[in-house]
Amino acid sequence: MCADVRVEKDSMGPMEIPGHLLYGASTQRAVENFPISGIRFGRSFIHALGEIKASCARVNLKVGKLDEKLAKAIETAANDVRDGKYDEHFALDVFQTGSGTSTNMNANEVIANVANLALGGAVGSKDPVHPNDHVNMGQSSNDVIPATIHVAAKISCQKRLIPALKALQQSLEAKAKEFSAIYKTGRTHLQDAMPMTLGQEFSGYARQIEMGIERVEACYPRLKELPLGGTAIGTGVNTHKDFGRLTAEDLSEATGVEFSESVNHFEAQASKDACVELSGALKTIAASYTKIANDVRWLACGPRNGLGEINIPATQPGSSIMPGKVNPVMSEAMVQVAAQVIGNDVSITIGGATGNFELNVMMPLIAHNLLQSIDILAAVADQFRTRCVDGIEANEEACRNTIERNISIVTALNPYIGYDNAAKLAKQAYAEGKNIREVAKASGLISAEDVDKALDVTKLI
């Protein structure tokens, strides 16, 4: 045995652990069992896990279950975990035991060792703070891990995703106002349709984001419910009767985000429906992102041999071989994020449907995918807003030119000459390469005055 390795024992026997690491035998077994992807839980999950362990220590002290000296040491160590001080000691793969027990024990062992060092004990001694008896007091992985998912997701939504979406919505609304007098041709089925303003087009994008915000916030009543206090299967064995309520209240105060005890602990631990619901809202936002980003890059395509109705900011060279080429890279990043979120939702849905009786057993996957979706939706909203939307300029001449070339404006003549005659004029204009205005005036079906009146673009929108 090397000098930088220590030996610890758990219920299954001795384990060799790298001496510089603060986790214990249970975590080391998981390290060896699950070298699968190299993907670890993100910062938001570890932050929430530390927050929960600190709250549990405070509540156990409050109800008289935990000695004050030990409780304070656990709380301090858990807060350090929350703040990222010991991230390197959370080494477990996301693809592990389906309950997340390995990661819960990882936290218990790290917090116990940090607390013991602070109290004059040794790493691995489990004295005076024991990872199971003290750090995990009144808890089970089966209520801690689903609670951690909810806490991390709700905090990330309220403090990161929603602000990013609101800022993007405001930028799109600002563009809608800026472009309110820029007339252009609308399109349906990728074909010319009736005129509109560029501002109206952008107002639709802003509303999509606004409704995405509403969808996420509509999930909060279910997401705020925490299964803490249910312990192993929801019955609350080995914990104080008020533990769930008190920890939810404590977490609400500590984070500034509202939480409550689960209405039904059996539902809260056996299912992950709230996570599936939130993921569905995130998937819808991803669909909105795809529509908006694709429209933006289509409207900007060219710049000389495409639509070219808007100009987007140049952010980087677009080609390693074609000098001067600039690509819509922010739109491309956004649609890739959307694709990832949609894929995450499929896995989360499968995960939410998987489990038997009193426990879901795909919680690490659900946690990772859900929190990743929240994080990347927020991040790309910020980048798309600042590096694309805010710098979009209208190409007014290109927009205006589409209207006179637009055959679909013949629709405005229907009340004067009827659908069938209007269709004939549309076909004639297309065949002769003329615009509707000149063909209609020459048709004898309608007066020139009525043509100009009917085709007044300010009235058509």
Side-chain angles (χ1 to χ4, degrees):
M1 184 180 68
C2 299
D4 62 349
V5 172
R6 70 179 187 275
V7 175
E8 289 190 27
K9 292 182 179 180
D10 61 9
S11 60
M12 296 184 68
M15 285 295 297
E16 290 188 356
I17 303 167
H20 69 287
L21 293 173
L22 292 173
Y23 56 67
S26 180
T27 304
Q28 184 61 32
R29 289 191 191 279
V31 168
E32 296 178 9
N33 285 337
F34 307 112
I36 295 174
S37 69
I39 302 171
R40 301 183 184 185
F41 284 108
R43 178 91 280 278
S44 61
F45 186 86
I46 303 303
H47 173 116
L49 187 52
E51 195 79 75
I52 285 171
K53 292 296 179 179
S55 180
C56 289
R58 289 191 292 268
V59 171
N60 280 321
L61 172 63
K62 184 174 184 177
V63 299
K65 293 280 190 178
L66 193 58
D67 174 79
E68 183 175 6
K69 181 176 72 171
L70 301 189
K72 293 297 184 183
I74 292 170
E75 179 185 0
T76 300
N79 284 338
D80 286 342
V81 167
R82 175 199 64 194
D83 295 338
K85 187 173 180 180
Y86 298 104
D87 280 359
E88 67 175 303
H89 303 276
F90 287 82
L92 296 183
D93 204 287
V94 164
F95 299 101
Q96 55 168 276
T97 172
S99 62
T101 298
S102 300
T103 292
N104 183 43
M105 281 307 302
N106 191 170
N108 292 335
E109 290 173 341
V110 169
I111 291 168
N113 278 325
V114 172
N116 284 331
L117 287 172
L119 295 173
V123 171
S125 66
K126 301 181 182 179
D127 182 50
V129 176
H130 192 283
N132 299 80
D133 295 339
H134 300 126
V135 182
N136 201 59
M137 179 181 284
Q139 306 151 60
S140 165
S141 302
N142 299 349
D143 62 359
V144 167
I145 296 301
T148 302
I149 300 172
H150 280 218
V151 170
K154 195 161 189 283
I155 289 174
S156 294
C157 283
Q158 287 189 218
K159 296 188 176 183
R160 181 76 177 91
L161 177 59
I162 296 301
L165 291 174
K166 286 183 176 179
L168 176 57
Q169 176 198 349
Q170 289 165 4
S171 287
L172 291 166
E173 287 177 343
K175 289 299 171 181
K177 183 177 181 181
E178 179 183 342
F179 301 152
S180 62
I182 307 294
Y183 298 97
K184 56 161 285 180
T185 287
R187 296 176 181 88
T188 59
H189 303 270
L190 291 179
Q191 304 297 305
D192 296 344
M194 294 301 291
M196 65 187 306
T197 69
L198 188 61
Q200 289 173 325
E201 203 158 35
F202 272 76
S203 74
Y205 307 148
R207 177 59 176 159
Q208 281 185 276
I209 300 302
E210 182 180 16
M211 288 191 291
I213 294 168
E214 292 172 0
R215 289 184 180 102
V216 170
E217 292 180 337
C219 298
Y220 287 174
R222 273 78 62 198
L223 199 61
K224 75 176 183 178
E225 290 192 22
L226 304 182
L228 291 169
T231 63
I233 64 168
T235 59
V237 65
N238 290 352
T239 195
H240 191 277
K241 64 181 179 64
D242 295 324
F243 188 82
R245 176 180 61 82
L246 292 173
T247 51
E249 291 174 356
D250 185 89
L251 282 165
S252 299
E253 183 177 352
T255 63
V257 174
E258 183 184 3
F259 297 104
S260 62
E261 183 179 6
S262 297
V263 172
N264 185 295
H265 283 274
F266 303 101
E267 178 277 331
Q269 291 180 214
S271 77
K272 290 292 148 286
D273 292 350
C275 296
V276 174
E277 178 188 15
L278 176 60
S279 181
L282 301 177
K283 178 188 68 175
T284 306
I285 292 171
S288 296
Y289 277 12
T290 303
K291 169 64 166 62
I292 294 166
N294 277 337
D295 276 12
V296 165
R297 60 178 170 176
W298 270 112
L299 290 170
C301 72
R304 293 188 176 179
N305 294 296
L307 299 181
E309 293 178 10
I310 62 172
N311 300 316
I312 57 175
T315 55
Q316 64 186 57
S319 174
S320 62
I321 191 172
M322 293 177 280
K325 192 171 188 291
V326 177
N327 296 331
V329 294
M330 302 315 300
S331 285
E332 291 166 5
M334 190 170 233
V335 296
Q336 288 179 82
V337 164
Q340 181 70 26
V341 171
I342 292 167
N344 283 349
D345 178 69
V346 173
S347 295
I348 292 167
T349 302
I350 294 170
T354 300
N356 303 102
F357 306 115
E358 278 63 63
L359 185 66
N360 179 281
V361 289
M362 290 184 71
M363 285 192 285
L365 173 69
I366 292 170
H368 174 264
N369 283 14
L370 187 66
L371 297 176
Q372 182 192 66
S373 291
I374 295 168
D375 288 345
I376 62 178
L377 285 172
V380 82
D382 284 337
Q383 295 303 106
F384 188 71
R385 170 177 58 85
T386 58
R387 296 180 181 274
C388 183
V389 174
D390 287 347
I392 289 175
E393 297 175 346
N395 188 337
E396 188 169 357
E397 182 179 1
C399 290
R400 184 173 59 250
N401 288 342
T402 65
I403 296 176
E404 284 300 316
R405 298 198 307 267
N406 183 1
I407 292 175
S408 290
I409 62 173
V410 75
T411 305
L413 301 181
N414 287 357
Y416 296 87
I417 63 176
Y419 182 95
D420 290 338
N421 282 328
K424 290 178 183 178
L425 293 183
K427 291 178 181 180
Q428 180 185 349
Y430 182 76
E432 298 177 359
K434 297 179 179 179
N435 64 49
I436 290 295
R437 190 183 302 273
E438 57 186 327
V439 169
K441 287 182 177 180
S443 69
L445 297 171
I446 181 174
S447 70
E449 181 181 351
D450 282 342
V451 170
D452 289 335
K453 178 181 177 182
L455 299 184
D456 182 352
V457 69
T458 63
K459 304 248 175 66
L460 291 178
I461 64 168

